[in-house]
Amino acid sequence: MVLYQIYPRSFADSDDDGVGDLQGIIDRIDHLDTLGVDGVWLSPIMRSPGVDHGYDVSDPRDVDPLFGDVSTLRRLLDTLHSRRMVLIMDLVPNHTSSQHPWLEAALASGPGSTERARYFFRDGRGPDGSLPPNNWPSVFGGPAWTRVTEADGTPGQWYLHLFAPEQPDLDSSNPEVVEDLDRTLRFWLDLGVDGFRIDVAHGLAKPEDLADLPADVEIAQLVVDVRDARWDRPGVHEVHRRIRRVLDAYPGTATFGEVWIGPVDRFARYLRPDELHFAFHFALTGAPFEADAIRSAIDSTLDAARASGSAPTWALSNHDVVREVTRYGNGAVGTARARAMLLAILALPGIAFIYNGAELGLPSDFSIPHDRLTDPTWDRTDHAELGRDHCRVPLPWSGDRPPYGFSGADDTWLPMPDTWSDLTVEAQSADPESTLSLYRRAIRIRHSWPTPTTPEVRWTSTPDGCLGFLREDGPVLCMINTSRRSVPLPDGTVVLSSAPLDGGLLPPDTAVWLQR
Ligand code: GLC
């Protein structure tokens, strides 16, 4: 299965406000069809003030007017289903928006109220409570606690937010919180969605004592430090069991958890038969283009699949990380390596995720003017970290200058570089050697293979700096050259290569599929 992640603000804008929307996706459905993907994971489109672009939800059972309404979503679903594609919604159960009626009620109700018990409200430390309840930092920078002003105007309690202050954490041990989650799941399932990507699936329960973290814990949003007691608490599994019970009543639906947990045994626990169906394994998003690193990333993902009995998942990027073209070195080299890695993930057994724009070989854009940055990380770190806007720039569709057919507006929510005219869907569709053409061809070929029955791959012996492997059912041998010189190709008929071959040689930064 190949799933395509749409960051809705950035895919296509139908109403010319400079921000992508659901009708934009419907209008561009042919792009998904031609690409040949099996479905879409849609980053959040629920009602949201947009501080973290939808990952701060103020009404989990409505569509944000920025993107359309529930009937537009229904039309998108019908359109996808009529083309045999599924729709996976993004669900954000860890926190709400600070504009959710629950937080507003909590602020109005005061300490000790049932309204505050849905979140983590605590008294501050120090004689006047002016210090946060513990030393937890937010993963977006600054403390993970914000002090509120009580109804009588005095400085009051503090509430917890692992992310931005506008994203207060919910207490999943509160029955009302999980009952509401059930309602949200059913709302979208009744509408016909095929499943959910579960945001921060490893963070949905907090340690009861909310104790200080050791001073040397590394604070990361991605691949969290196992000593950071805020993640991977035993209580998260109760939430996943509950979610599973709801989904089991809707046959054919599935969950995909965002689980940034390294150790295989702990990762695998999320995939027990009564928990998540699938979990993202992010090893490849952190691996350099280097044979040993790629091999160990692949092995760790396969180990997790073996340990859990769930299908392996592969992603080279998403809306939180640097795009692969840039990670691998930018320019022609970065693009060549990203193309090679596409052949690697598509030749592996399991589910491959493509982040919108990867099929165009888009780089991350680190030239966005600072006054246009929107990711909360930028301000929360006092401008020490640029945040993630670089990988969220709108997609270029056609023409030779911004906004490249993305929108009818002159300006887009993030500015688009004026160097992307060769990267548009239009330009690349006309070029059989383009990255887009490679994606289309590779996905089509992959669809002609039988679905693998095991997560096993067999590594073959290769020259130094290269990797070679076959799925157990072996439709092709995939060989990748990460070295600096061309190497001889193994025996076999070339099915596809990520760049032109050099006679019987596989050039650097290139991958090939060979039929044996
Ligand atoms: C997840 C999302 C990220 C978001 C965060 C808070 O990591 O992928 O984009 O900022 O959760 O919801």
Side-chain angles (χ1 to χ4, degrees):
M1 184 172 221
V2 182
L3 292 175
Y4 182 84
Q5 180 191 355
I6 291 187
Y7 198 68
R9 298 176 77 91
S10 305
F11 187 72
D13 173 20
S14 73
D15 60 0
D16 299 344
D17 62 356
V19 183
D21 47 50
L22 296 177
Q23 184 60 45
I25 305 174
I26 298 171
D27 295 344
R28 298 286 188 182
I29 202 77
D30 285 346
H31 178 64
L32 304 180
D33 224 353
T34 324
L35 199 54
V37 295
D38 301 295
V40 165
W41 150 28
L42 194 56
S43 280
I45 44 105
M46 287 92 166
R47 213 173 253 272
S48 159
V51 170
D52 192 15
H53 302 324
Y55 288 98
D56 49 319
V57 177
S58 54
D59 182 348
R61 295 184 285 278
D62 198 6
V63 170
D64 195 278
L66 189 64
F67 299 125
D69 56 22
V70 171
S71 71
T72 337
L73 183 75
R74 211 176 268 126
R75 277 192 291 111
L76 172 60
L77 252 173
D78 290 346
T79 310
L80 286 164
H81 286 168
S82 72
R83 306 212 183 191
R84 293 178 305 285
M85 286 184 265
V86 296
L87 180 67
I88 308 300
M89 296 271 288
D90 213 317
L91 193 79
V92 191
N94 181 64
H95 42 266
T96 67
S97 156
S98 52
Q99 291 183 33
H100 189 291
W102 274 3
L103 193 83
E104 288 166 0
L107 294 179
S109 305
S113 59
T114 49
E115 286 80 1
R116 287 205 176 176
R118 296 165 180 148
Y119 296 96
F120 295 93
F121 275 84
R122 296 290 184 273
D123 293 333
R125 293 200 281 201
D128 54 357
S130 63
L131 297 171
N134 67 23
N135 70 351
W136 293 5
S138 143
V139 294
F140 288 164
W145 295 91
T146 288
R147 193 170 197 187
V148 305
T149 304
E150 300 298 356
D152 63 3
T154 56
Q157 288 194 301
W158 299 69
Y159 69 84
L160 174 71
H161 50 86
L162 294 187
F163 297 90
E166 295 84 356
Q167 294 167 296
D169 279 60
L170 288 165
D171 183 350
S172 63
S173 68
N174 181 316
E176 250 191 290
V177 167
V178 282
E179 278 156 22
D180 194 69
L181 175 58
D182 288 355
R183 271 199 292 284
T184 299
L185 292 164
R186 289 203 188 93
F187 177 83
W188 300 110
L189 290 165
D190 287 340
L191 216 66
V193 309
D194 303 285
F196 301 95
R197 177 260 188 191
I198 314 269
D199 192 58
V200 200
H202 56 305
L204 302 179
K206 310 296 179 293
E208 248 169 56
D209 57 3
L210 301 182
D212 276 349
L213 294 176
D216 60 339
V217 160
E218 199 181 320
I219 301 307
Q221 179 191 356
L222 316 179
V223 195
V224 299
D225 187 329
V226 288
R227 294 165 309 152
D228 185 337
R230 301 174 300 171
W231 312 108
D232 198 31
R233 304 321 304 159
V236 297
H237 298 288
E238 201 34 63
V239 183
H240 292 305
R241 281 188 205 107
R242 179 153 190 141
I243 294 174
R244 181 62 176 256
R245 283 198 291 276
V246 176
L247 264 82
D248 280 347
Y250 295 81
T253 59
T255 48
F256 301 78
E258 183 199 25
V259 180
W260 285 100
I261 297 295
V264 163
D265 54 329
R266 290 173 65 169
F267 181 89
R269 275 190 237 153
Y270 289 77
L271 294 160
R272 287 176 287 199
D274 58 349
E275 298 194 35
L276 293 166
H277 296 81
F278 306 101
F280 287 88
H281 202 273
F282 296 107
L284 277 177
T285 64
F289 189 75
E290 195 270 302
D292 290 343
I294 297 168
R295 176 161 174 173
S296 73
I298 293 175
D299 273 336
S300 72
T301 305
L302 294 173
D303 283 347
R306 282 183 208 110
S308 64
S310 169
T313 59
W314 310 99
L316 296 174
S317 54
N318 61 37
H319 64 294
D320 291 327
V321 303
V322 177
R323 283 186 176 277
E324 55 267 42
V325 164
T326 303
R327 276 203 330 268
Y328 296 145
N330 255 332
V333 167
T335 303
R337 293 173 174 178
R339 291 168 61 120
M341 288 305 294
L342 172 75
L343 296 204
I345 63 166
L346 291 183
L348 287 161
I351 304 172
F353 286 88
I354 294 165
Y355 176 50
N356 60 192
E359 78 279 21
L360 305 176
L362 296 188
S364 268
D365 178 14
F366 286 104
S367 70
I368 302 170
H370 289 174
D371 63 351
R372 298 291 304 270
L373 293 174
T374 69
D375 187 350
T377 311
W378 171 243
D379 279 337
R380 298 275 305 161
T381 60
D382 289 331
H383 303 176
E385 285 177 39
L386 290 173
R388 300 158 293 176
D389 291 305
H390 58 80
C391 62
R392 300 172 176 178
V393 172
L395 265 59
W397 292 92
S398 58
D400 53 14
R401 49 170 198 278
Y404 303 105
F406 163 76
S407 168
D410 289 336
D411 200 10
T412 46
W413 74 279
L414 286 173
M416 301 175 71
D418 52 18
T419 49
W420 280 8
S421 58
D422 292 344
L423 296 178
T424 64
V425 172
E426 181 184 53
Q428 296 203 42
S429 296
D431 174 6
E433 300 309 321
S434 69
T435 298
L436 178 58
S437 297
L438 177 73
Y439 265 78
R440 289 175 176 164
R441 228 174 294 136
I443 294 172
R444 197 171 54 241
I445 294 171
R446 176 177 149 127
H447 278 312
S448 68
W449 301 336
T451 306
T453 50
T454 77
E456 298 307 322
V457 307
R458 190 156 56 76
W459 296 101
T460 60
S461 71
T462 52
D464 280 354
C466 297
L467 276 182
F469 65 85
L470 291 144
R471 275 170 27 180
E472 194 159 74
D473 55 342
V476 291
L477 179 139
C478 178
M479 183 161 153
I480 309 153
N481 183 0
T482 72
S483 79
R484 303 306 329 131
R485 61 201 152 63
S486 294
V487 298
L489 281 174
D491 290 342
T493 313
V494 174
V495 175
L496 187 64
S497 64
S498 63
L501 299 175
D502 175 7
L505 299 177
L506 181 65
D509 303 325
T510 305
V512 66
W513 287 350
L514 292 163
Q515 189 112 44
R516 312 258 267 172

